Amino acid sequence: LLVGAFGVSKVVAYRARPVVTVNAQLILTPRILNPEDKSCRIPNSDDMVTCLSVNVCAKISGIGIPDYVALRMDLHLDWLKQRGAVKRILFMDSHQHQRTQQLVLGQGDRQHCHNYSVYLRDESEFRDKLSPISVTLNYSLDQNSPPPGLQLRPILDHYSKTFHHEQANILLDCGEDNMCIPDLKLSAKMDQTELVIGDDNLLMLIINAANEGEGAYEAELHVTLPPEADYIGVERRREDLQRLNCEHRTENDTRVVVCDLGNPMVADTNLSVGLRFSVQRLEDAPPTIGFELQIQGSNKDNSRSVPVNLTLSIAARAQVEIRGVSHPAQVVLPFPRWEPKEKPVREDDVGPQVQHIYELHNKGPSSISKTVLEVGWPSWYREEHLLYALQIITDGPVLCSVNGSLNPLKLETSTLQDTPELLGFLRNSSGPARHRRSVSTAQSYNSKILNCSNINCLMVECVVDRLDRGQSAVIKFRSRLWAHTFLQRRNDHYTLNSTVSFQVMAMPYRIKADSLPHQSKSIGTFVVWAIPDVSFAIPLWVIILAILLGLLVLAMLSLAMWKCGFFDRARPPKDDDVSDHEQLTAEKSTDA
């Protein structure tokens, strides 16, 4: 193109760049890869693989183009797989999925071809067998090759195709149409249907997955977990369950356990697997939580099973008990070297120390947040003290209030557990009472069992805050046995019973318990006498009668023995009898 202007005396010449038309082809042989047909050997290895031939052919044409044109060719294998994904085919010589090569073509040459050997990786190295394997060819003029002489650089034909794309497929066991239509079935059950807050709550899902149709490729079991569940692992102790490969994933803040069911999950497959979970963090859980299960595959049709939902009930339940003990268990009257004071000043002047200890114990598994505990203390009757309450000692989250007053006489308290005179004696008599007589149930002071139904009791109410599993709250009543009251009733045995009851009022959960624990109990201290009761002495007439009967039996035995000659004795001979015997013996000798 010449461009001139009048009066300028100059002409501008614009030269056209030669246009190169490239006729390229990408040919894959074969287009169906059979993973079982391993007829090629990897160089420098004994491994046999399934191979594929990739042919790249090209021819150039154009007007005014150079005699030789250099093309830059980029070849990509399994191009549709995203970056970082496993490429299913690789070049035989380099084991790479990409290659860039220069191809020099002459203007008068016929079609020029290059052949590349490609192999299919082992099936264990990838999962996707359904999607096609894409091979792409992209070419451009090599800008690093300068044109000969002063020629302008050629350009490619703008309307020619510079990108070529071909596909191959992996042979599937799906019939003549090479299209698999599976029929996936899923069922599941749990080894328990209810969980209790605070318990260990180990759970196992027994899952059965089956395929009653054609092969299901990239078949996976997906188990969506509730927020309260944590995945532990696959059950491996039972022989009737398969040991599948499962992993825990997080997808969009949803936790999922994914198990490989096979690639493909062939027809008539029937698998059973046990998945173990730990379910915790149930304090704010709803009344029910659930697992969602489904089989997912990559088939075009019927690639998913019908979802299965498993529901667990959540309950709040606690086993709470009250324990109690009296220390000492019994008090033996009278006390050696001790007399009660008419006007006691110190607590030691009243009598021996008696303690009742109560323990509210939560055996779990759930926690309790509020419990009301009431104690009835056998304090007095008709102006006479029984167990004189001095102090209430607590251990744990307990707060107590009394409807009367402790130590109303303001006795001076002692730091010792007991007076020295009583301490050793009580240690020897702290076992349980050996002897208890049945008594009347009349509501009078002479009843041998004294409790809040027939005497006046000091009432104490305690509020116990939260107790978790295994925790306890302890309440200890420290008192003195008012010895003067019992020394006036000599040889009368008594049992002093304190009563304790509790009622759980609330549990710290969103879920309400069906019933709240409650219990009542009584703790007894025995007051016994060391001197036997006169009512147990043997009457005098019984003793006299026994002596007479003994004498009569002795006389009868003596008479019987006399009749039998027991008292006869062989007496020794006299001196005259001996002389006559010797004379007779001498006469018999002479005659002979």
Side-chain angles (χ1 to χ4, degrees):
L1 175 64
L2 297 176
V3 179
F6 179 76
V8 177
S9 300
K10 291 182 179 179
V11 176
V12 178
Y14 291 93
R15 301 169 59 189
R17 297 173 66 182
V19 177
V20 178
T21 300
V22 180
N23 183 13
Q25 287 182 312
L26 179 63
I27 303 171
L28 305 182
T29 306
R31 288 185 174 271
I32 301 296
L33 300 177
N34 184 0
E36 303 296 329
D37 182 15
K38 299 183 178 181
S39 57
C40 298
R41 185 186 303 275
I42 296 179
N44 303 321
S45 174
D46 294 332
D47 296 334
M48 302 299 293
V49 292
T50 301
C51 57
L52 170 69
S53 177
V54 178
N55 286 311
V56 178
C57 298
K59 179 182 179 181
I60 61 171
S61 61
I63 299 175
I65 62 175
D67 293 337
Y68 294 95
V69 176
L71 297 180
R72 175 188 170 92
M73 306 186 66
D74 293 319
L75 201 60
H76 290 266
L77 305 181
D78 213 358
W79 178 71
L80 292 179
K81 287 294 182 182
Q82 297 178 358
R83 180 177 297 180
V86 176
K87 304 294 184 178
R88 293 169 287 179
I89 58 174
L90 301 173
F91 287 103
M92 189 79 74
D93 53 356
S94 64
H95 304 288
Q96 300 296 320
H97 66 276
Q98 182 178 358
R99 170 165 291 185
T100 300
Q101 186 169 341
Q102 186 187 63
L103 182 63
V104 179
L105 301 174
Q107 183 178 4
D109 293 343
R110 295 182 179 181
Q111 192 175 44
H112 187 79
C113 294
H114 273 266
N115 181 269
Y116 302 95
S117 293
V118 175
Y119 70 94
L120 180 68
R121 301 178 78 163
D122 190 84
E123 291 181 279
S124 61
E125 299 182 45
F126 65 92
R127 292 186 53 80
D128 182 12
K129 299 179 181 180
L130 285 179
S131 65
I133 299 175
S134 298
V135 179
T136 63
L137 170 65
N138 189 21
Y139 63 86
S140 60
L141 291 175
D142 190 352
Q143 301 298 328
N144 295 325
S145 298
L150 298 176
Q151 294 182 4
L152 296 175
R153 287 181 179 275
I155 63 172
L156 287 176
D157 186 356
H158 180 71
Y159 298 101
S160 64
K161 184 179 179 182
T162 61
F163 180 80
H164 295 265
H165 176 216
E166 295 295 335
Q167 292 182 341
N169 289 278
I170 299 175
L171 180 64
L172 306 177
D173 185 16
C174 299
E176 296 180 357
D177 58 359
N178 205 38
M179 294 181 61
C180 287
I181 303 177
D183 185 10
L184 302 174
K185 305 292 184 182
L186 180 64
S187 61
K189 63 180 181 179
M190 300 178 290
D191 61 349
Q192 52 186 322
T193 58
E194 183 185 69
L195 300 180
V196 180
I197 300 174
D199 209 348
D200 295 336
N201 291 334
L202 298 178
L203 177 70
M204 184 166 68
L205 305 187
I206 307 297
I207 305 166
N208 180 262
N211 182 14
E212 299 178 358
E214 295 178 310
Y217 285 83
E218 296 185 74
E220 295 178 334
L221 170 65
H222 287 243
V223 182
T224 303
L225 310 185
E228 298 80 10
D230 294 318
Y231 175 62
I232 297 178
V234 177
E235 175 60 41
R236 301 181 181 275
R237 293 171 295 182
R238 289 178 49 173
E239 297 296 333
D240 58 329
L241 299 177
Q242 278 78 22
R243 297 170 177 84
L244 302 183
N245 292 324
C246 300
E247 64 176 352
H248 182 269
R249 302 176 185 171
T250 301
E251 302 174 355
N252 298 327
D253 296 330
T254 301
R255 296 180 303 136
V256 182
V257 174
V258 179
C259 299
D260 183 13
L261 300 179
N263 188 24
M265 183 182 182
V266 299
D268 300 324
T269 297
N270 195 319
L271 299 173
S272 295
V273 62
L275 300 182
R276 297 169 57 237
F277 299 89
S278 173
V279 184
Q280 303 296 331
R281 305 181 298 275
L282 296 174
E283 288 77 6
D284 298 321
T288 58
I289 61 173
F291 294 80
E292 182 177 340
L293 301 87
Q294 189 179 40
I295 300 176
Q296 299 180 8
S298 59
N299 296 58
K300 186 176 181 180
D301 299 315
N302 293 352
S303 61
R304 295 171 181 257
S305 68
V306 177
V308 174
N309 293 297
L310 299 177
T311 302
L312 271 171
S313 299
I314 308 300
R317 189 178 303 121
Q319 183 179 354
V320 185
E321 65 178 6
I322 188 72
R323 307 167 181 171
V325 65
S326 172
H327 181 72
Q330 72 176 14
V331 178
V332 181
L333 300 177
F335 311 128
R337 300 182 301 278
W338 185 88
E339 291 294 335
K341 305 283 192 305
E342 292 185 4
K343 293 183 178 181
V345 177
R346 302 170 61 246
E347 64 171 272
D348 301 346
D349 300 337
V350 171
Q353 178 173 266
V354 174
Q355 298 184 35
H356 283 194
I357 304 172
Y358 314 100
E359 180 187 20
L360 184 69
H361 181 68
N362 182 14
K363 299 176 70 175
S366 301
S367 302
I368 54 177
S369 58
K370 181 180 179 181
T371 305
V372 175
L373 185 144
E374 294 183 346
V375 178
W377 187 255
S379 186
W380 73 95
Y381 184 79
R382 293 181 180 177
E383 306 301 329
E384 291 184 293
H385 294 287
L386 302 175
L387 287 179
Y388 182 78
L390 292 169
Q391 188 180 12
I392 298 176
I393 304 171
T394 62
D395 182 20
V398 188
L399 184 62
C400 296
S401 59
V402 186
N403 70 340
S405 60
L406 299 175
N407 192 12
L409 300 180
K410 305 301 180 183
L411 299 180
E412 179 182 343
T413 58
S414 173
T415 57
L416 298 176
Q417 292 296 317
D418 258 309
T419 57
E421 296 81 4
L422 300 177
L423 188 58
F425 191 76
L426 289 176
R427 286 177 180 172
N428 296 329
S429 60
S430 59
R434 298 180 181 177
H435 172 247
R436 290 176 60 188
R437 291 179 290 165
S438 61
V439 297
S440 171
T441 58
Q443 300 299 316
S444 66
Y445 185 76
N446 290 327
S447 296
K448 297 303 183 289
I449 298 179
L450 307 180
N451 52 38
C452 294
S453 64
N454 51 22
I455 59 174
N456 295 326
C457 282
L458 182 70
M459 301 305 298
V460 179
E461 180 179 285
C462 299
V463 178
V464 183
D465 290 337
R466 176 164 179 156
L467 292 178
D468 295 326
R469 180 180 185 179
Q471 291 184 339
S472 299
V474 178
I475 303 171
K476 179 166 69 173
F477 273 73
R478 198 172 71 85
S479 70
R480 289 280 173 168
L481 179 73
W482 202 273
H484 180 72
T485 302
F486 298 93
L487 290 175
Q488 290 179 335
R489 295 160 177 83
R490 193 172 184 83
N491 296 325
D492 282 342
H493 301 269
Y494 291 95
T495 301
L496 296 173
N497 281 342
S498 66
T499 60
V500 58
S501 63
F502 74 88
Q503 172 68 58
V504 175
M505 307 303 294
M507 305 181 79
Y509 306 118
R510 176 180 171 184
I511 299 172
K512 303 301 180 184
D514 296 334
S515 61
L516 296 174
H518 59 89
Q519 185 185 356
S520 298
K521 196 170 187 178
S522 63
I523 309 299
T525 301
F526 303 109
V527 180
V528 297
W529 284 80
I531 301 175
D533 194 335
V534 294
S535 58
F536 290 96
I538 301 176
L540 181 60
W541 65 270
V542 174
I543 297 175
I544 297 174
L545 180 61
I547 295 174
L548 294 177
L549 288 175
L551 294 174
L552 178 60
V553 170
L554 180 61
M556 294 177 64
L557 288 174
S558 300
L559 179 62
M561 294 170 68
W562 178 72
K563 288 290 188 181
C564 294
F566 181 77
F567 297 105
D568 293 339
R569 296 290 185 269
R571 290 175 295 178
K574 296 181 180 180
D575 295 339
D576 295 340
D577 294 337
V578 173
S579 301
D580 293 341
H581 178 71
E582 291 176 353
Q583 184 179 359
L584 179 60
T585 302
E587 291 176 356
K588 289 182 178 181
S589 299
T590 304
D591 294 339

